[in-house]
Amino acid sequence: MRSSLIFVILLICKDRRSGLILTIPLCTEQTSMEELSATLDYLLGIPSEKCKARGFTVIVDGRKSQWNIVKTVVLMLQNVIPAEVSLVCVVKPDEFWDKKVTHFCFWKEKDRLGFEVILVSANKLTRYIEPCQLTDEFGGSLVYDHLDWLNKRLVFEKFTKESTSLLDELTVINENEKGSQAEKDRSSESNILPSFDPETVLQTGHELLSELQQRRFNGSEGGGGGTAWSPMDDELLAQPQVMKLLDSLREQYTKYQEVCRQRSKRSQLEEIQTKVMQVVNWLEGPGTEQLRTQWGIGDSIRASQALQQKHEEIESQHSEWFAVYVELNQQIAALLSAGDEEDLMELKGLQQQLSDVCYRQASQLEFRQNVLQSAHEFHMTAQDMSQQLDGLLGMLCADVAPADGAAIQQTLKHLEEKLKSVEGALQSLREKGQVLLDQMSTQTSFSYGKDVGIENKENIDHIHSVMEDMQLRKQRCEDMVDVRRLKMLQMVQLFKCEEDASQAVEWLGELLDALLKTHIRLGDDSQETKVLLEKHKKFVDVAQSTYDYGRQLLQATVVLCQSLRCTTRSSGDTLPRLNRVWKQFTVTSDERQHRLEMASAFHTAAEKILRESPELAELMVDVEAYEEVETVGKGLLDRLTVPVIFPDGSEQFFGSPGDMASSAESIRERMKLVEEKRFLQEEAEQRLDEEALEAGPRES
């Protein structure tokens, strides 16, 4: 068809009778009469009946064709459009056909053909048709682009076909939407997409209408300074037809969009309903069943961790459905903000149902998580306390062998700290156990209609059992701590007694050392010697009390060792050391006592002699007194040279040799004075004897 339209042109021009002009250009190539006939039928269907009634002027351009083809075309017009053809103008070539060939007279056949046929040259065609209605190839001034017209015509027909088909489809779809709900459901199940894209068809129509309006404007105004021409009737008729189709199409498309919107909303609502029921059915079905089977709290940290891991798996599965819930909730909220009144109640009902189920399930998951967390903390506290009790028990069962009292005090402090820590752990265990028991008491509200009394009773009994067991273990440890504390206090006393006993030995040794090194003087006269004797007695009394104190402490250590059953421990070398030092002190103090007593006797005798005046004869001292001073003085000097011999055979001198020499010198000085007095007394006695001898002869 398109190839035929190239050489069959329905011009937009008109003849002198206002009839349409049909131009048939023939060429040297063979022309298909069938295609030409079909093309003519198509072109004759374009004008309106009113235009057809005014008749056609047909121009057969035979300048490039043969006569027999021209004749065939003219005769064909008789069969195709006899009533519509008014005049047929055959344009002959410059070199005219053979007269014999053209002798056929068309005018004689006018009655049989039904129209007039004339042969005319191209330059004389203006006799029948105005030049402004002829194109330049026929010597006219009409501006015309047949290919452009053909393309526009094809676009118009394509638009008309597609828009008409689309209108029918949209009308059917829109009418079905007005039917019953069952018809809506059936129609919604079928494909509601039309055969053509409405947007594309509308765009094509608008572009076509714009082009037609532009051509009409250009035709009415004229362009380029050429002769003005009027659009063809088919173009003038196409504009209102296109406008009518566009209006109808827009109307039906608007309704169709509303139908699609309603169906989309209904489909979205149905999809939301389906997803909501999927979420609700899963949460109230498998989700609830998962939680229904999880009620234990475990009997250890490992068991509670296993339950927590299982709960995390359950939460992970629930999270996927909660994500769907969030998405659905957003979709429902969007529909509520832009929904119709008739959908609001249904959407709110779905939203409320979904929210109730999801929040209830989330609350149950959170409650279960809190229970497991409390159980885990309870078991951790119980295990920590058990380890503390084991450590404390290990300390109590170990043998006590402290090195000294400070170590015992440190051990006691450590025990008290351990016991205090255990007390704090027990208090924490009770608090966490009470929290868990409180949660167990509220667990029935999340029982999903199931009697959880048995499970709760087992859990509650386990919690009470753990707390009672820890209380009993703590009590046993406290009793053992009391025993250990008493024993360690006794050991403190034992160490104290041993320490004090050793101190007593040291004190006694210091007294012995002081006695030997500082108690040297014997006195320069009897009075001083008596003072030294008194001091010596007091010094001995102090040493005696120190010795007695050490003995008492050592006796106490024996009693404490027996009480502590400390068979491997005794007073050690303290008692022998105490006895040895005491014996040494006793020997030394006795020696000191004897020396002071001798010094006192010496000084008393010497002073008795030295107090007498050697000039008085009647106060003459007896010889025995002198002999006593001499004997005691020599004995004292001899004793000063003798060391103190201890029971173990060891020897020790009083003071240094210089100290002993000083004491001996003092005694010798006193003895020298006594000796001088004795000498004077002897001289006096001798003189008296001589005087008595002299007086005897005179008397006689």
Side-chain angles (χ1 to χ4, degrees):
M1 177 67 71
R2 185 177 179 87
S3 62
S4 298
L5 291 176
I6 294 175
F7 57 83
V8 179
I9 305 173
L10 183 62
L11 292 176
I12 64 173
C13 53
K14 298 180 181 180
D15 58 14
R16 299 179 187 277
R17 295 172 290 106
S18 298
L20 296 176
I21 299 175
L22 182 65
T23 302
I24 302 176
L26 300 178
C27 58
T28 56
E29 296 178 359
Q30 185 65 31
T31 302
S32 173
M33 294 298 111
E34 292 181 358
E35 290 185 0
L36 181 58
S37 177
T39 303
L40 290 173
D41 288 338
Y42 166 75
L43 290 174
L44 291 174
I46 294 175
S48 65
E49 295 298 328
K50 183 178 179 180
C51 291
K52 290 179 181 180
R54 292 197 293 269
F56 289 93
T57 295
V58 181
I59 299 175
V60 179
D61 187 3
R63 289 177 293 180
K64 296 180 181 181
S65 182
Q66 299 177 0
W67 166 249
N68 59 345
I69 296 176
V70 173
K71 180 181 178 181
T72 303
V73 170
V74 173
L75 293 176
M76 185 187 66
L77 293 175
Q78 178 189 10
N79 298 326
V80 177
I81 48 174
E84 289 82 1
V85 177
S86 299
L87 176 64
V88 176
C89 296
V90 178
V91 180
K92 61 182 180 180
D94 295 336
E95 294 180 0
F96 194 64
W97 295 301
D98 190 352
K99 291 184 177 180
K100 295 181 180 179
V101 175
T102 61
H103 184 69
F104 179 78
C105 296
F106 286 107
W107 63 272
K108 295 180 179 181
E109 301 294 328
K110 179 179 180 181
D111 294 336
R112 185 173 63 86
L113 292 173
F115 49 80
E116 182 183 1
V117 179
I118 61 173
L119 295 175
V120 62
S121 299
N123 55 1
K124 295 182 179 181
L125 193 59
T126 56
R127 296 178 181 178
Y128 306 95
I129 302 173
E130 294 291 338
C132 65
Q133 299 296 319
L134 294 174
T135 58
D136 58 351
E137 59 184 337
F138 297 117
S141 60
L142 179 65
V143 179
Y144 175 73
D145 187 349
H146 180 66
L147 290 178
D148 178 66
W149 175 87
L150 183 60
N151 290 331
K152 293 296 185 295
R153 186 65 195 182
L154 293 177
V155 171
F156 169 74
E157 291 184 356
K158 180 176 181 294
F159 167 72
T160 303
K161 179 182 178 181
E162 291 181 353
S163 61
T164 303
S165 175
L166 181 60
L167 276 173
D168 293 339
E169 293 180 2
L170 293 179
T171 302
V172 172
I173 293 172
N174 295 336
E175 289 299 326
N176 289 338
E177 187 66 19
K178 297 179 181 180
S180 62
Q181 184 64 37
E183 293 177 351
K184 291 182 181 180
D185 295 339
R186 286 196 299 271
S187 64
S188 63
E189 294 174 0
S190 63
N191 185 13
I192 67 170
L193 294 177
S195 302
F196 304 100
D197 180 22
E199 295 289 345
T200 303
V201 175
L202 283 171
Q203 182 179 0
T204 302
H206 285 298
E207 292 175 354
L208 178 60
L209 180 61
S210 176
E211 182 67 25
L212 290 175
Q213 291 174 344
Q214 185 68 25
R215 286 171 62 85
R216 180 175 183 178
F217 174 79
N218 292 337
S220 62
E221 295 292 334
T227 304
W229 56 272
S230 300
M232 188 176 177
D233 285 352
D234 68 306
E235 294 182 346
L236 296 175
L237 294 174
Q239 294 183 33
Q241 188 176 356
V242 171
M243 293 175 65
K244 183 178 179 180
L245 285 173
L246 284 174
D247 292 340
S248 300
L249 190 58
R250 278 193 293 265
E251 180 183 359
Q252 292 299 325
Y253 182 52
T254 301
K255 295 180 180 179
Y256 171 74
Q257 286 179 321
E258 180 62 22
V259 169
C260 290
R261 191 184 70 82
Q262 292 294 334
R263 289 190 177 185
S264 176
K265 185 178 66 175
R266 187 164 56 250
S267 175
Q268 188 177 7
L269 185 59
E270 291 174 355
E271 182 181 0
I272 288 176
Q273 287 177 335
T274 301
K275 290 184 178 180
V276 167
M277 293 313 300
Q278 288 178 350
V279 175
V280 170
N281 291 336
W282 190 90
L283 292 178
E284 292 183 343
T288 300
E289 186 62 28
Q290 287 178 349
L291 287 177
R292 181 182 289 119
T293 57
Q294 297 294 315
W295 285 106
I297 61 173
D299 56 358
S300 63
I301 294 179
R302 180 176 297 178
S304 64
Q305 288 176 340
L307 290 173
Q308 283 183 320
Q309 183 177 2
K310 178 64 178 177
H311 184 72
E312 289 176 357
E313 295 175 358
I314 295 175
E315 281 186 333
S316 177
Q317 297 180 15
H318 278 74
S319 297
E320 299 177 359
W321 292 97
F322 287 154
V324 177
Y325 156 70
V326 173
E327 181 181 356
L328 288 174
N329 198 35
Q330 293 175 350
Q331 295 178 3
I332 293 174
L335 290 176
L336 285 174
S337 62
D340 298 332
E341 292 293 334
E342 59 183 10
D343 299 329
L344 290 180
M345 295 303 296
E346 184 176 1
L347 286 172
K348 288 182 178 179
L350 286 174
Q351 188 180 41
Q352 188 63 41
Q353 181 185 12
L354 183 64
S355 297
D356 291 344
V357 173
C358 289
Y359 278 114
R360 182 171 63 249
Q361 199 75 357
S363 298
Q364 293 162 359
L365 285 170
E366 183 180 6
F367 174 80
R368 176 62 179 166
Q369 177 63 31
N370 292 336
V371 170
L372 290 177
Q373 183 63 30
S374 298
H376 182 69
E377 293 176 358
F378 175 78
H379 291 310
M380 285 189 63
T381 305
Q383 178 174 314
D384 179 62
M385 181 177 179
S386 178
Q387 293 175 352
Q388 291 187 32
L389 288 171
D390 291 341
L392 181 58
L393 185 62
M395 288 182 61
L396 294 172
C397 293
D399 292 335
V400 181
D404 51 25
I408 293 177
Q409 293 292 344
Q410 186 65 28
T411 304
L412 278 175
K413 182 179 179 182
H414 194 194
L415 277 176
E416 295 295 340
E417 290 176 352
K418 284 278 188 180
L419 191 61
K420 186 177 181 180
S421 178
V422 168
E423 179 65 32
L426 180 60
Q427 181 62 29
S428 177
L429 182 66
R430 288 171 178 169
E431 293 174 356
K432 296 184 183 303
Q434 187 59 48
V435 170
L436 193 54
L437 289 173
D438 293 340
Q439 290 176 334
M440 292 290 103
S441 64
T442 59
Q443 196 168 7
T444 54
S445 61
F446 297 94
S447 61
Y448 307 93
K450 178 184 177 182
D451 184 10
V452 296
I454 298 177
E455 289 85 351
N456 274 345
K457 186 176 184 304
E458 292 178 356
N459 293 333
I460 292 172
D461 290 344
H462 173 70
I463 295 170
H464 285 300
S465 175
V466 171
M467 290 193 296
E468 291 173 359
D469 179 61
M470 293 300 171
Q471 176 63 37
L472 290 175
R473 291 180 61 186
K474 174 182 172 293
Q475 187 61 48
R476 288 195 295 269
C477 286
E478 284 181 342
D479 295 340
M480 295 179 67
V481 167
D482 291 340
V483 174
R484 176 57 59 89
R485 185 186 295 110
L486 178 60
K487 182 176 182 180
M488 298 189 79
L489 289 176
Q490 289 179 341
M491 293 189 70
V492 170
Q493 294 178 354
L494 174 61
F495 280 117
K496 183 63 176 175
C497 290
E498 291 180 345
E499 182 180 352
D500 291 347
S502 298
Q503 186 65 46
V505 173
E506 293 179 4
W507 288 344
L508 198 58
E510 292 175 358
L511 292 174
L512 174 60
D513 190 59
L515 181 61
L516 287 171
K517 293 181 179 181
T518 61
H519 291 215
I520 302 170
R521 289 182 54 78
L522 297 177
D524 294 333
D525 51 32
S526 61
Q527 187 64 34
E528 184 179 359
T529 303
K530 289 180 180 180
V531 172
L532 291 174
L533 275 172
E534 293 296 330
K535 289 182 178 180
H536 179 69
K537 289 180 180 179
K538 293 179 180 179
F539 187 78
V540 171
D541 291 341
V542 171
Q544 182 66 51
S545 62
T546 302
Y547 171 72
D548 294 340
Y549 175 65
R551 291 282 297 182
Q552 293 174 1
L553 290 173
L554 291 174
Q555 290 175 359
T557 58
V558 173
V559 174
L560 288 173
C561 286
Q562 293 175 352
S563 175
L564 294 171
R565 299 178 182 177
C566 193
T567 56
T568 60
R569 190 179 188 90
S570 63
S571 58
D573 63 343
T574 306
L575 181 59
R577 285 175 52 231
L578 179 64
N579 291 330
R580 182 174 64 254
V581 174
W582 176 246
K583 289 180 179 179
Q584 291 177 351
F585 184 84
T586 303
V587 172
T588 305
S589 64
D590 289 344
E591 178 63 25
R592 174 65 174 170
Q593 179 73 24
H594 292 155
R595 290 187 180 188
L596 288 173
E597 290 177 351
M598 290 180 66
S600 177
F602 171 75
H603 286 301
T604 301
E607 289 174 356
K608 183 179 180 181
I609 294 173
L610 293 176
R611 279 199 304 265
E612 300 295 336
S613 175
E615 288 82 6
L616 299 175
E618 63 274 8
L619 296 178
M620 291 296 178
V621 181
D622 295 337
V623 177
E624 292 80 4
Y626 287 108
E627 292 177 354
E628 179 183 0
V629 170
E630 184 178 0
T631 302
V632 173
K634 289 181 179 181
L636 182 56
L637 289 173
D638 292 339
R639 196 147 194 159
L640 289 176
T641 61
V642 177
V644 179
I645 301 174
F646 296 136
D648 58 356
S650 60
E651 298 179 351
Q652 183 72 36
F653 287 93
F654 279 98
S656 62
D659 295 334
M660 291 297 99
S662 176
S663 298
E665 184 63 26
S666 176
I667 294 171
R668 288 191 186 94
E669 287 292 333
R670 180 59 65 93
M671 290 179 65
K672 184 176 179 181
L673 292 175
V674 171
E675 185 63 27
E676 289 178 353
K677 182 157 185 192
R678 182 178 181 180
F679 179 73
L680 292 174
Q681 182 175 342
E682 288 178 352
E683 287 182 348
E685 288 178 352
Q686 184 177 1
R687 189 170 54 252
L688 289 174
D689 289 338
E690 291 178 356
E691 289 178 357
L693 289 176
E694 291 177 358
R698 279 192 302 265
E699 291 177 359
S700 59

